[in-house]
Amino acid sequence: MPGRLDLDLYNVLLGFGWIRERVDLVRATLDPGFLLRARRVLLPVPGIDRPARPRADVLPPFRRRPIKSLAEQRTALIAGGGAGACVSLIGVRRAFEEADVEPALISACSGGAIWGSMWAAGLSAEEMADFSLSWRLEDYLDIQWARLPRFVLSGLRGFTGIAKGEAVERTFIDRFGTLTVGEFPIPFTSIVYNMDRGIVDYFGTASKPELPIGRLVHIAMALPGFIESVEVEGHLYVDGGIIDLLPAEPILRDGAFDHVFAVNFMLPPQLQPEDITGWQNRRMGFLRASRQAEQGSHLEFADRMRRALGDALTVIDAADHHLLRGPAFYDLFIDRSRWPELIECGYEQATSALEPFRSRRPTARAR
């Protein structure tokens, strides 16, 4: 029947997720700091709300320490999803610069595509930091308050998100001009989701070389209900991270990489699911179980990647995944004061992950 609520298993799980998100939101409202940051973003007061620019001296002094065992290896990098936490990819970039390792392909989604595209476009870690930390909120987030009443009155016709996402596209155009994905020094691909047809696709060097970097990043930021979908060739697309947070398919399809580094921001450390045995006996345990269910498909994709790559995979946990739970997912994106700390964390985690390769003997590149 039209308008009937389908209480199938899938929708019940979604309902649990919705309840958990509401609980997280209530908890967040008890934090005065969160409320103040949210008010500054949603209802800024002209002339008063001028957030200070984060400190720019976030990277350690450069120390060139080439890793000989990776010198002749063909490597790939997966930059996962994780909103503002993905700024830690700048620190990962610095660690790779010091090791003299440059990936032959970067596959990304969500925030990983924002900073991963900078890397692929040829920016150094220093340049990535200078660019990112110079942003004002309006440079990457544009909430369309004036149109919301019209959407409500029209039964949400034409609505795909409360923010347009055009601001970040303009910011990247100002920095990179008309640079297209096909012109990147490093081949790049970003997983996207076709909302019209319900299918996953990949936009990048091989499939959409004419796509400008600004439009690519715009799509990576598009999140159903939050940031508007982006039209490409007559269809509406959003970030493919809603399907796969660590898009390894282009790398597995290539099949000729000696080693793959997967930079994880949002999933549990080393992609290992948390054991929540006994959740049913805990207070509000079903909410915890709903998170486990929501991450299930992402962790399954990650496990398939791990099995396919075996010892050729190194996972870099560049940020604490707890930082991205509930409203903190959005808070970390709008509150840039924590970005320097995240960049430093990314550097430390990547440096640690690369350390074992320093004691390995150089090997010939796989054919």
Side-chain angles (χ1 to χ4, degrees), residues 11-52:
N11 280 328
V12 168
L13 288 174
L14 287 179
F16 282 161
W18 185 90
I19 294 172
R20 176 179 52 75
E21 289 170 357
R22 302 291 83 73
V23 171
D24 287 340
L25 183 60
V26 169
R27 288 174 179 168
T29 58
L30 300 178
D31 176 8
F34 172 78
L35 291 177
L36 179 60
R37 290 189 295 273
R39 198 275 303 159
R40 284 174 173 169
V41 173
L42 301 177
L43 298 169
V45 178
I48 296 179
D49 293 322
R50 297 177 179 177

Side-chain angles (χ1 to χ4, degrees), residues 207-221:
S207 59
K208 283 283 186 294
E210 74 286 354
L211 195 69
I213 184 173
R215 179 52 57 96
L216 179 81
V217 171
H218 188 172
I219 298 170
M221 277 190 61

Side-chain angles (χ1 to χ4, degrees), residues 90-104:
I90 296 174
V92 176
R93 168 67 159 146
R94 169 50 68 89
F96 274 62
E97 287 174 343
E98 292 184 343
D100 203 16
V101 175
E102 194 76 292

